[in-house]
Amino acid sequence: MIDWAICAVKQAEPHETVSGGQSTLMSENWVLKEEEAVELLALLITSARIQMEEPAHYGPLRLLTATERLSAMIVERASEKSRAFLQENVDRIPDMHMAMSDGEAYIAALDERCRAVAACLLRHSCPPEEE
Amino acid sequence: MMSEAVLNNIKTRRVVRAMTDEPVAREQIEAILEAARWAPSGGNLRPNRYIVIQDAATRRLIRLVSPGMFQQAPVLILICTNWDVVAEHNVPPTDRALLIDIGTAAQTMLLAAQALGLASGPVTSYSKEAVKIILNLPASYSPEMFICIGHKAEIVQTGMRAWKKISWRDLTHWERFK
């Protein structure tokens, strides 16, 4: 179990992030090009619009499409920790067929990915214990 | 027999979501458009117009505003409704024949592509407003459906599959309901 209080003390040069929190030990290297960011923005904003006229379950699936594309964009430039997460998890994102044919399996698969992303965040947030 | 060839064409056509960048010959594109011209149209009004997009930069922009377009097809054919034609014939904009026309044109193009040995797939998940801007469509044109045309990529395709095996018998009722 990670002690978040200790983690917070160990953060290096904290600054404000988009989420309103403090930066962690995650690499500050740029992993996304402007062109890629705009592509992702286009996918998200157009998905938000067309979702109003599409089946409800398409909403999460568009988010998963965005997840896959974001992963493909950043995987080569990501830190080793993040790259390992991306390589291990993105291929396992459940598809639309699973969502429609086996809702429980779809939810279980997404829960597994959520646990994996939480573990990835923890790895970034807490420096390795000093020997 | 010709009838068997037609039926086989219908049965073997699939929606293809992964295509190569191999170009499609101009004659093949024109053959698909010629087939669409013969699709049935309510009142024979023919309110549909077709826009062929081959330019790589334009196709890329279209894909960026089309969350449902997984294909990187070398040819996009956009089926539009020309509302000037609709108004000219005093057809109410809510007339379902207008939607049916889009469907008959689309299916005819998909089958024509299949007959030519090409892969195809329809796409309706895109931002109409964004497509209008990218293609500089006239105000009287509304973008209704993309038909992606190309050559099938030899990779495992993901996406929609049949939820359960069905036959025509599952879809059909004979005569009156009791």
Side-chain angles (χ1 to χ4, degrees), chain A residues 1-4 122:
Chain A
M1 182 67 74
I2 298 298
D3 184 332
W4 281 98
L122 284 178

Side-chain angles (χ1 to χ4, degrees), chain A residues 19 92 100-101 122:
Chain A
S19 62
R92 298 183 195 168
M100 290 292 288
S101 62
L122 284 178

Side-chain angles (χ1 to χ4, degrees), chain A residues 69, chain B residues 58-67 69 71-72:
Chain A
R69 292 192 189 173
Chain B
T58 308
R59 284 186 288 117
R60 176 176 173 273
L61 294 178
I62 295 291
R63 274 204 317 281
L64 293 182
V65 298
S66 304
M69 188 179 288
Q71 302 92 338
Q72 298 202 17

